[in-house]
Amino acid sequence: MPELLEAIVEEALSVSLFEIEDEATADTVGWQIDLLFRDPPDARALAAALAPACASVGARFGDIAVTRVAPDDWARTTELRLPPVRAGRFIVHGSHARDGLPADAVAIEVDAGLAFGSGEHATTQSCLFAIDRLARRRRFERVLDLGCGSGVLAIAAAKCWPARVLAVDNDPIAVRVASDNARLNGVGRSVRTLLSDGYLHPAVRRGRPFDLILANILADPLIELAPALRAHLAPGGRAVLSGLLDRQAEAVVAAHRRQGLRLLDRAQQGPWVALVLGSPARRGSRA
Ligand SMILES: C[S@@+](CC[C@H](N)C(=O)[O-])C[C@H]1O[C@@H](n2cnc3c(N)ncnc32)[C@H](O)[C@@H]1O
């Protein structure tokens, strides 16, 4: 990082980097950097530092806007920015929104933090819709949440069924957050959390076969992990796969079809999609 930029970043009270997505395709079309200073910064000096920093990583510097931030009630701002999210029977909410939740909803309390999954992302929502639809038809007893992030899907599963849920992530922070959230939501005894890269932890192998596997990761790892998913899924089991765009769905389905799984359902939220796949009840039979 150029020295001048380093000095700016050091001087700023906070630095936030936001990915700007194309609304239709979810492709990254740019980045927004928000810097918060105690005193108004010199916009020209900022531009002089940021332009070469962008050029050094092959990016084009856009423009700069300096605005005064009014004194704020941060708790209230968080409430407004993260209202409860309804997805099927579930309502995912932060601790600021415990009161007044609809009585018919299954509440999942997750505060926005260092682990992905406070409910506002379309991939989480489409998985929750898929779980909701599955729960109308059958019960599951052994569930694996692969890439659990905050644990939101594992908690949803544990609240739907009297199931044993194994929630794993390759990020130690997510594992800790998921464990705390499971306890906070009253399902700490049903949800076990583990640090595991994919299915590699021996406890994941020992826990198989799972009759439901939830995996909201990305299209490429899902494709790569398709044989392992097949090896861990019970005959007649179901898998909810997400983290993929509509245009990537066919490749993900094809990779799993090669493992004998069949597409049974899909839940779409904007360009993001969750796929529900089924494994055959017996070898050689249809899902
Ligand atoms: C998109 S977030 C999903 C979080 C949560 N399940 C949800 O639906 O909101 C993906 C999570 O998968 C984890 N992850 C990605 N690849 C993984 C892998 N190979 N093994 C385990 N976890 C993985 C990431 O660390 C991240 O927490």
Side-chain angles (χ1 to χ4, degrees), residues 123 125-138 140 161 211-215 222 229 233 236-244 249 252-254 256-257 260-268 273-279 287:
T123 58
Q125 290 168 25
S126 53
C127 288
L128 290 172
F129 277 115
I131 295 171
D132 177 54
R133 292 217 283 259
L134 282 171
R136 283 185 224 156
R137 293 192 290 267
R138 72 182 257 196
F140 293 91
W161 306 291
D211 52 5
L212 178 62
I213 296 181
L214 310 164
L222 286 173
L229 181 140
L233 192 60
R238 298 289 181 260
V240 175
L241 309 181
S242 190
L244 52 129
V252 174
V253 172
H256 290 82
R257 207 180 284 130
L261 277 84
R262 200 160 67 93
L263 178 64
L264 300 176
D265 194 8
R266 49 186 286 150
Q268 184 134 5
V273 59
L275 306 170
V276 180
L277 298 146
S279 73

Side-chain angles (χ1 to χ4, degrees), residues 30-31 50-62:
W31 294 88
L50 290 170
C54 289
S56 71
V57 292
R60 193 179 59 79
F61 175 64

Side-chain angles (χ1 to χ4, degrees), residues 131-210:
I131 295 171
D132 177 54
R133 292 217 283 259
L134 282 171
R136 283 185 224 156
R137 293 192 290 267
R138 72 182 257 196
R139 283 160 70 121
F140 293 91
E141 287 169 6
R142 295 165 82 91
V143 181
L144 174 67
D145 179 5
L146 181 75
C148 62
S150 67
V152 56
L153 303 182
I155 294 165
K159 288 200 166 196
C160 269
W161 306 291
R164 272 196 284 156
V165 184
L166 185 57
V168 307
D169 205 290
N170 60 2
D171 172 1
I173 295 175
V175 174
R176 185 167 45 75
V177 172
S179 168
D180 290 347
N181 281 335
R183 266 199 306 276
L184 174 75
N185 281 274
V187 291
R189 291 166 77 95
S190 335
V191 178
R192 179 178 176 206
T193 57
L194 269 183
L195 182 67
S196 176
D197 185 6
Y199 298 84
L200 291 181
H201 194 290
V204 179
R205 214 169 319 131
R206 283 198 303 271
R208 68 183 177 181
F210 299 95

